[in-house]
Amino acid sequence: MPTEPHTPPPGWTPHALQAGGWRITTLFDARFRLDGGAMWGVVPKNLWARMTPPAEDNTIALAARPFLAEKDGVRVVVEGGMGDRWDDKFRKIYGLDRPAGTTLRATLAALDVGTNDIDHVFVSHCHFDHIGALVEERDGALAPLFPRARHHFPALEIEAMRTTAHPRRASYRADDIEPLVEAGLVDSYGGGATLFGDLTAHHVGGHSEGMVVLVFGEEGDANRAAFWGDLVPTTHHIQPPYIMAYDMDVSQSFRMRREWLARAAGEGLVGLSYHDPDRPFTRIEHDGKRYVAVDVPEVEPAG
């Protein structure tokens, strides 16, 4: 159990930006902790500890922060939180903290958005910390949190969830998806797809076989945004070699991180950060030596 538990937000404040025709508003589902060494791979601790200070047990604070994207009356939830279907052992191991007012359901409600108001759910990949809240226990059974939403998952991620001998088997839980399949709510797609006219999925892999980056906005727009998933897990991980030990294919992660960090800097893409506990939006620039993260203008949140 973490020896220096983090403090959850005293209150939840949504933040929003405009990306193409989409207004994207922060939600929240949980804070948790993972081993700092695993989150930083081969990066020396004397470097990463300055950016993400560890507790005595070497864990660092992380977030599970979904987003609400809205355009022309369509409401989309991006990523699925941690959820509450965890035993006490797991909660202690991961320092899981889900204050009642800052869960995915609660933060949507704070924006006056109900679970029946969501039309689509898109995720970068299907690890439990990214889709766990999409299924909840009701009346002794598992049921979809968003009962009328289409849930769009990369096909490779669905396959990984159902592979019993998968090398990252501990990162997947079948009951995070089976209730959605049984309800007929799951749509799968291949390595890259146009999900709407200006919402596209780009296969990157590396961290997991099927992981994608989701891009909001059309090519050439001045204010596009990219939801990184775990390609860039926090706004501190913006140098190409800063690769997590959790990644399955380090070489692929390095190639994709080089490509997408360069694109972000060159095209002005705003990064949407799922795991950073403090900073949901950043624009990446290159100062001639390295990448730096800068703040971006915000707009009025949803609700």
Side-chain angles (χ1 to χ4, degrees):
M1 184 175 182
T3 55
E4 297 178 11
H6 55 265
T7 302
W12 177 71
T13 301
H15 299 271
L17 57 74
Q18 197 73 27
W22 295 90
R23 178 177 61 181
I24 302 176
T25 304
T26 58
L27 303 170
F28 211 86
D29 188 66
R31 287 182 182 260
F32 65 107
R33 303 187 75 91
L34 290 177
D35 181 79
M39 283 298 298
W40 284 95
V42 299
V43 180
K45 184 176 180 180
N46 63 349
L47 292 181
W48 64 255
R50 294 199 295 265
M51 294 180 281
T52 54
E56 291 181 7
D57 64 354
N58 213 48
T59 61
I60 63 173
L62 298 169
R65 180 193 293 107
F67 293 84
L68 173 67
E70 299 174 286
K71 177 185 176 183
D72 298 333
V74 175
R75 288 189 171 118
V76 171
V77 165
V78 180
E79 225 72 339
M82 291 278 283
D84 201 40
R85 294 177 290 109
W86 304 104
D87 59 24
D88 289 342
K89 179 181 178 181
F90 178 95
R91 292 173 185 275
K92 291 179 180 179
I93 289 173
Y94 292 103
L96 181 61
D97 191 355
R98 301 183 77 239
T102 57
T103 63
L104 177 54
R105 176 189 281 274
T107 52
L108 278 167
L111 299 173
D112 199 27
V113 176
T115 55
N116 281 304
D117 297 328
I118 302 303
D119 301 294
H120 298 274
V121 174
F122 295 102
V123 302
S124 63
H125 62 296
C126 292
H127 288 173
F128 62 72
D129 56 323
H130 289 255
I131 68 170
L134 298 178
V135 171
E136 63 181 6
E137 188 170 344
R138 289 201 302 269
D139 301 323
L142 297 182
L145 177 65
F146 304 116
R148 53 172 295 274
R150 303 305 307 170
H151 291 64
H152 305 266
F153 298 150
L156 285 173
E157 290 297 298
I158 297 176
E159 180 182 345
M161 293 188 75
R162 292 171 163 172
T163 301
T164 56
H166 193 276
R168 291 290 189 272
R169 183 61 191 160
S171 297
Y172 294 102
R173 299 188 306 178
D175 61 5
D176 284 333
I177 190 174
E178 295 305 337
L180 304 175
V181 173
E182 292 171 6
L185 298 177
V186 172
D187 295 324
S188 66
Y189 58 88
T194 298
L195 307 173
F196 288 95
D198 59 353
L199 170 54
T200 52
H202 303 260
H203 177 252
V204 294
H207 178 66
S208 65
E209 291 102 331
M211 192 176 73
V212 300
V213 166
L214 298 169
V215 176
F216 292 85
E218 296 181 353
E219 195 78 26
D221 282 352
N223 58 339
R224 291 190 301 155
F227 178 77
W228 297 126
D230 280 353
L231 184 70
V232 185
T234 79
T235 56
H236 301 289
H237 287 77
I238 58 172
Q239 312 309 325
Y242 291 0
I243 299 171
M244 295 185 291
Y246 295 114
D247 287 15
M248 290 187 61
D249 186 336
V250 173
S251 295
Q252 177 71 3
S253 289
F254 184 67
R255 286 192 295 270
M256 290 295 99
R257 285 167 57 77
R258 286 188 65 190
E259 175 183 330
W260 280 93
L261 288 166
R263 287 186 62 177
E267 300 173 18
L269 287 174
V270 173
L272 309 180
S273 179
Y274 182 70
H275 282 314
D276 194 301
D278 303 309
R279 198 171 184 180
F281 307 132
T282 51
R283 193 183 304 279
I284 295 173
E285 298 178 354
H286 200 277
D287 67 3
K289 294 183 178 180
R290 57 196 290 109
Y291 292 106
V292 295
V294 298
D295 292 334
V296 298
E298 296 187 10
V299 299
E300 284 296 313

